[in-house]
Amino acid sequence: SFVDPSTAATITLVSAHATGAVVDVKLASGSTPSCTRSAPALTIAGPTGGVAAGTANTYTLTVANRDSSECGATGFSLASAVPSGWSATLGATTVNLSPGASANTTLKVTSPTTAAAGSYGVGAGASSNVGSVHTANASSTYTVAVAPALSGSLSTDKTSYVRGETVAMTARVLNAGNPVAGASVGFPGELPGGRTRTLNALTAREG
């Protein structure tokens, strides 16, 4: 028999043959397997398409405890990372997980209304008081779309009218030269006595 000095386990040869051997391993009374710490798994998923500046995008964070089963539950702290001047709100800033367990929360990111078109990095991190072995980071992209290049025109059916005639007005709304359907258009007018009135309509398929 052989006794492992580090674990006090006793290893006894039961049988041996040309291709191997059978051994009996007995753990010392009261000995327990040790806890092995591992970095948590952290992922982030969310919108991939472009949005207008000032839009709130919501991402899903998933964190999993990958410690061995001998370890106890761990409280993980979550933090966000967004460009300067942006806002970020976590649905939960801490999660308590047993080994093998996972949890989801949300990260809501809002860009300034003045943000230029382009792709920006957003991310999150997880850590615990266990130390550096319990750290993980994940990142995603927030894309600010190019602002619409809107243009409009207004015309009437005649250049002058006599009292009592109906004025027919036509407005067109284009985005980069293409008709915009469903755009809200207001036709302000001045009535006798200095009063004003605005007529509202929506553009048709042809803009």
Side-chain angles (χ1 to χ4, degrees):
S1 297
F2 168 76
V3 178
D4 185 345
S6 63
T7 63
T10 301
I11 303 172
T12 304
L13 178 65
V14 176
S15 63
H17 48 82
T19 59
V22 177
V23 296
D24 177 54
V25 179
K26 293 183 179 179
L27 297 177
S29 177
S31 65
T32 57
S34 60
C35 163
T36 302
R37 301 289 189 178
S38 298
L42 180 65
T43 61
I44 180 172
T48 56
V51 295
T55 299
N57 271 357
T58 300
Y59 300 82
T60 298
L61 300 181
T62 302
V63 58
N65 185 339
R66 299 197 299 183
D67 290 345
S68 67
S69 59
E70 294 77 21
C71 302
T74 299
F76 291 95
S77 298
L78 302 177
S80 61
V82 298
S84 176
W86 294 38
S87 68
T89 304
L90 285 164
T93 56
T94 59
V95 290
N96 195 57
L97 297 173
S98 298
S102 62
N104 296 329
T105 190
T106 57
L107 172 61
K108 184 178 180 181
V109 178
T110 305
S111 63
T113 56
T114 55
S119 295
Y120 299 83
V122 298
S127 62
S128 84
N129 58 13
V130 168
S132 60
V133 69
H134 262 185
T135 58
N137 297 287
S139 62
S140 187
T141 301
Y142 181 117
T143 301
V144 177
V146 176
L150 294 178
S151 61
S153 62
L154 176 65
S155 61
T156 58
D157 59 331
K158 296 194 300 182
T159 58
S160 60
Y161 301 86
V162 298
R163 184 185 298 272
E165 279 191 287
T166 299
V167 179
M169 295 181 289
T170 301
R172 292 202 72 198
V173 178
L174 306 176
N175 179 12
N178 300 309
V180 178
S184 178
V185 178
F187 297 92
E190 184 174 343
L191 303 177
R195 293 177 298 134
T196 59
R197 182 182 179 186
T198 299
L199 301 177
N200 297 299
L202 297 177
T203 57
R205 289 173 52 188
E206 64 275 13

